[in-house]
Amino acid sequence: MSVIPVEEYLNTSYDPDMEYVDGVLVQRNIGDWPQSLIQSNIIYHLRRKYPGVYVLPALTSQTKNTRYRLPDVSVLLAVPQTRYLLEAAFLTIEILSDDDGMSAMIEKLEEYSQKGVANIWLIDPRLRKMFTYRSHTLREVEDVISTGDPRLELTREEVFQD
């Protein structure tokens, strides 16, 4: 496996999209029906309810100097000043696919936390569960998942709408 310089990663288009972890391209597990539907639901409802925020799918986001991730959904309070997100998003959302391993997902959530993302959500379409991640802890949320100030929230029905 050869190491790719970060500049090459940032200036190359990949199909499918790839994440960059310490010089190595890492394929994202995306594109299955449940994951895509949940992603669409989240983007739709957040945009509809909160027109003053920017809700974006798969925005290239730096988590460390040698790591760039593509969260399923990023929510920003302002337009980024660079082509890629170098600062912490307000909210980062990951949606599990059947091929996601929990240890790799926890590693990603921890990177977002260390970067300073104040609100991190994890959604499991198969089990229809919603979680928040904070201070090394994954907590299940029953009916409404929400952020801190400013408060953004989605109901279970909005997230898992068929």
Side-chain angles (χ1 to χ4, degrees):
M1 201 177 307
S2 64
V3 174
I4 296 169
V6 69
E7 297 80 17
E8 181 178 332
Y9 167 75
L10 292 173
N11 291 300
T12 304
S13 293
Y14 298 96
D15 187 20
D17 287 337
M18 304 288 253
E19 293 184 329
Y20 181 83
V21 178
D22 303 327
V24 177
L25 297 177
V26 178
Q27 189 167 351
R28 297 171 59 223
N29 295 319
I30 60 167
D32 64 11
W33 172 255
Q35 196 230 23
S36 294
L37 180 62
I38 299 303
Q39 182 182 37
S40 176
N41 289 347
I42 288 170
I43 291 170
Y44 171 77
H45 288 294
L46 285 174
R47 283 183 175 169
R48 180 182 60 81
K49 292 168 73 170
Y50 308 102
V53 300
Y54 300 91
V55 184
L56 306 161
L59 175 63
T60 301
S61 303
Q62 183 184 52
T63 57
K64 295 181 177 184
N65 287 342
T66 60
R67 292 188 180 207
Y68 285 80
R69 299 296 191 168
L70 297 161
D72 291 311
V73 180
S74 296
V75 178
L76 311 177
L77 301 179
V79 175
Q81 300 302 306
T82 54
R83 185 173 166 196
Y84 306 105
L85 188 61
L86 301 178
E87 61 274 357
F90 172 71
L91 167 63
T92 297
I93 304 168
E94 288 288 353
I95 304 162
L96 290 173
S97 72
D98 286 343
D99 295 330
D100 282 322
M102 188 51 87
S103 61
M105 183 57 67
I106 293 296
E107 180 179 24
K108 272 191 197 185
L109 301 180
E110 187 57 30
E111 284 178 37
Y112 299 140
S113 179
Q114 289 174 1
K115 180 69 178 184
V117 177
N119 302 281
I120 303 167
W121 296 355
L122 178 64
I123 308 297
D124 185 335
R126 188 176 66 79
L127 297 177
R128 298 179 70 92
K129 292 185 178 248
M130 306 182 296
F131 302 89
T132 59
Y133 183 82
R134 181 173 291 126
S135 302
H136 311 289
T137 304
L138 200 57
R139 287 202 164 91
E140 185 174 356
V141 176
E142 290 298 324
D143 297 318
V144 176
I145 194 163
S146 63
T147 66
D149 186 29
R151 185 174 173 86
L152 309 180
E153 63 180 37
L154 292 178
T155 64
R156 172 175 294 288
E157 292 75 27
E158 289 169 329
V159 172
F160 296 110
Q161 179 180 1
D162 291 330

